[in-house]
Amino acid sequence: MVPVPRLAVSPFKHLDRLPRGGDRDVGAGYVMAITAVGVTTLYYLVVGVGILLIGVGSGGAPFVTNAVVGPPFVVGLLSGAISLSAVVAPLLFVTGVAAWRLVPPSQRYGGAIGGLLAMALAYLVAGALVVGLPSVYAVATGSPLVDTVIGGIGIIVVAFLASSWIALPASVLTGALYERSLDE
């Protein structure tokens, strides 16, 4: 087994200070919730830099100085990151606990598998909510159900493609580091 520096697993050693954080599954839920906040923050940072680069790359100096760099842009990014973290972190806590209850402790690479399973479950639950809740509303109000479902599926596909490039590897990494911290 490749030695992992103590610095990489040291943050996970303090989870026992949280309620039931010493339990393997609940500790994993905390780790996945922290991962969700980190991924959301990194995603919004990348989006902000991308918008700045697109504005500068297109030669749009007025666009960059007036619309992007100003306080509304920064406040918008921060409020988006905080709002999304407030939804995604509890969801990943629950799916993290569920994933670690499904993956046995004796499983080789159990942390990586648990992290990937937790993120996949989070995407599935979020997808079910994005399609299910508007569908119930459409049926209740008599709106066209097909349009609602197609719109929900479109949102799910775009959200997955926009965020999975960082969310899946981050959950695998943190899951593996968490399991490694339990072994030490």
Side-chain angles (χ1 to χ4, degrees):
M1 191 176 286
V2 178
V4 177
R6 289 193 185 280
L7 182 62
V9 295
S10 65
F12 305 119
K13 294 288 188 183
H14 302 288
L15 291 174
D16 57 352
R17 296 180 184 177
L18 297 170
R20 295 192 54 204
D23 297 352
R24 179 178 175 267
D25 54 350
V26 177
Y30 286 128
V31 168
M32 289 296 112
I34 293 167
T35 302
V37 172
V39 165
T40 303
T41 303
L42 183 62
Y43 175 76
Y44 273 91
L45 182 66
V46 168
V47 166
V49 169
I51 290 172
L52 285 174
L53 290 176
I54 288 170
V56 170
S58 66
F63 167 76
V64 172
T65 55
N66 295 336
V68 173
V69 181
F73 175 71
V74 175
V75 169
L77 280 179
L78 287 175
S79 68
I82 291 169
S83 300
L84 188 59
S85 291
V87 172
V88 175
L91 175 63
L92 266 162
F93 175 82
V94 171
T95 60
V97 170
W100 257 262
R101 287 184 179 169
L102 290 174
V103 177
S106 61
Q107 174 70 41
R108 185 178 169 106
Y109 304 115
I113 294 169
L116 186 62
L117 181 61
M119 193 60 72
L121 285 172
Y123 277 118
L124 285 174
V125 170
L129 290 175
V130 166
V131 171
L133 292 179
S135 297
V136 169
Y137 179 76
V139 168
T141 60
S143 301
L145 183 61
V146 174
D147 295 344
T148 303
V149 171
I150 290 173
I153 291 172
I155 290 170
I156 293 166
V157 169
V158 170
F160 179 77
L161 293 175
S163 63
S164 65
W165 63 272
I166 186 65
L168 295 175
S171 65
V172 168
L173 176 66
T174 55
L177 289 175
Y178 172 68
E179 278 294 319
R180 187 71 59 91
S181 74
L182 295 176
D183 294 337
E184 289 187 358

